[in-house]
Amino acid sequence: MELIDTHSHLTFDGLIQDIDGVVARSKAAGVTGWLTVGTDMQENQKAIELTEKYENMYAAVGMHPHDAKDVTDDTLTRLKEFTRNEKVVAIGETGLDFHYNFSKQTDQKRAFAAQLTIAKELNLPVIIHCREAFDETMEILDRFGQGLKGVVFHCFSGSAEQAKIVLDYGFYISFTGVVTFKNSEFTRQVAKIVPLNRLMLETDCPYMSPEPMRKQKINEPALMLHTAKYLAELKDMDLTDFTNAVTATSRAFFQIS
Ligand SMILES: [Zn+2]
Ligand SMILES: [Zn+2]
């Protein structure tokens, strides 16, 4: 079995200190590929450096909506420069987070649109972070029409109705361990309707360990196996059939081997 963790923050505290151990445990659990996702310029730089150490590890570069206030023209130029590295396979995470509003909504929208422009120009897929801002996120994505190479909503937290809209646009949906939580009935309803050629898996580690490991404070890629098992069961599928399909989807989306 080969799984790809399509959204991790391996450069974050709690993971980076033991990265060799994290990678070894991940491989042992069948999670043999990783995307480590940048959230600000420092993390983007660290993510790229880390991918140089490991085969099958790739990076996404972007400015998280929390940090939208720091996005300047210079930031955008540097983001573009980062993408010249062959291990950079996506732009993100970017999007809108109106739950925390750590950056002003106008700044978030501006930074999001600017990063989509870069993704379109460079023909790279985009990783979307969307929290309590579904309509606004779709409105901005809609402006780009068919111009984006690929769009994935990571850690999807919307309703089944919203998921249908996302799928109608041709976009992808990625699930974290949240789908295994007792109170995540909404997300389970979403998972049931997302076809395997649009579905990806992620940890979003170090956050959100899946059940039955939810008590493990620092999530890591190895634990994604629990999410995979849970979703295979939910979809009434053989685990290997499920993971083969989802891994093929992830590889095609990010164009990785
Ligand atoms: Zn996110
Ligand atoms: Zn993230």
Side-chain angles (χ1 to χ4, degrees), residues 1-85:
M1 189 174 53
E2 286 184 348
L3 280 162
I4 299 172
D5 183 351
T6 64
H7 191 116
S8 61
H9 299 288
L10 300 176
T11 58
F12 282 18
D13 240 20
L15 292 171
I16 194 67
Q17 291 89 344
D18 178 32
I19 190 67
D20 284 332
V22 166
V23 167
R25 288 191 292 277
S26 180
K27 285 181 179 170
V31 183
T32 55
W34 313 267
L35 240 86
T36 187
V37 177
T39 49
D40 62 25
M41 282 325 218
Q42 208 186 341
E43 295 301 332
N44 288 328
Q45 177 76 50
K46 283 201 262 175
I48 292 171
E49 283 166 14
L50 189 63
T51 63
E52 283 160 4
K53 275 182 66 188
Y54 299 96
E55 211 188 336
N56 298 335
M57 191 183 287
Y58 302 88
V61 294
M63 291 292 284
H64 195 282
H66 292 343
D67 297 293
K69 56 184 177 306
D70 301 325
V71 175
T72 62
D73 287 347
D74 178 58
T75 316
L76 298 168
T77 306
R78 285 177 59 210
L79 262 188
K80 277 198 212 177
E81 283 167 11
F82 280 145
T83 64
R84 288 198 204 124
N85 188 296

Side-chain angles (χ1 to χ4, degrees), residues 69-222:
K69 56 184 177 306
D70 301 325
V71 175
T72 62
D73 287 347
D74 178 58
T75 316
L76 298 168
T77 306
R78 285 177 59 210
L79 262 188
K80 277 198 212 177
E81 283 167 11
F82 280 145
T83 64
R84 288 198 204 124
N85 188 296
E86 60 174 13
K87 284 292 193 90
V88 174
V89 296
I91 295 292
E93 57 189 296
T94 179
L96 303 173
D97 192 318
F98 293 176
H99 177 75
Y100 287 109
N101 283 313
F102 287 156
S103 285
K104 276 192 295 195
Q105 296 189 358
T106 47
D107 283 338
Q108 291 191 41
K109 288 181 180 175
R110 178 181 53 80
F112 180 33
Q115 290 176 80
L116 291 178
T117 303
I118 291 175
K120 182 176 176 175
E121 191 184 314
L122 301 175
N123 203 29
L124 284 169
V126 192
I127 299 170
I128 306 285
H129 172 108
C130 171
R131 192 142 180 221
E132 291 175 26
F134 184 75
D135 294 345
E136 294 86 348
T137 300
M138 290 309 296
E139 189 188 304
I140 293 172
L141 282 166
D142 186 63
R143 281 192 235 148
F144 288 79
Q146 301 297 309
L148 295 164
K149 183 171 173 61
V151 173
V152 59
F153 277 66
H154 106 88
C155 193
F156 191 78
S157 58
S159 64
E161 291 309 307
Q162 291 171 334
K164 279 179 195 153
I165 295 171
V166 168
L167 294 171
D168 281 346
Y169 267 82
F171 300 159
Y172 291 63
I173 290 178
S174 162
F175 294 97
T176 60
V178 167
V179 73
T180 69
F181 295 175
K182 199 167 176 248
N183 60 357
S184 293
E185 194 46 40
F186 251 51
T187 308
R188 277 187 283 280
Q189 293 308 323
V190 172
K192 281 181 186 162
I193 64 161
V194 180
L196 297 183
N197 62 356
R198 299 288 192 81
L199 188 155
M200 294 193 265
L201 295 175
E202 59 168 301
T203 52
D204 204 13
C205 62
Y207 314 115
M208 289 183 294
S209 299
E211 293 290 3
M213 303 298 289
R214 196 171 173 182
K215 288 204 184 79
Q216 180 170 319
K217 249 184 112 188
I218 296 174
N219 189 13
E220 59 180 68

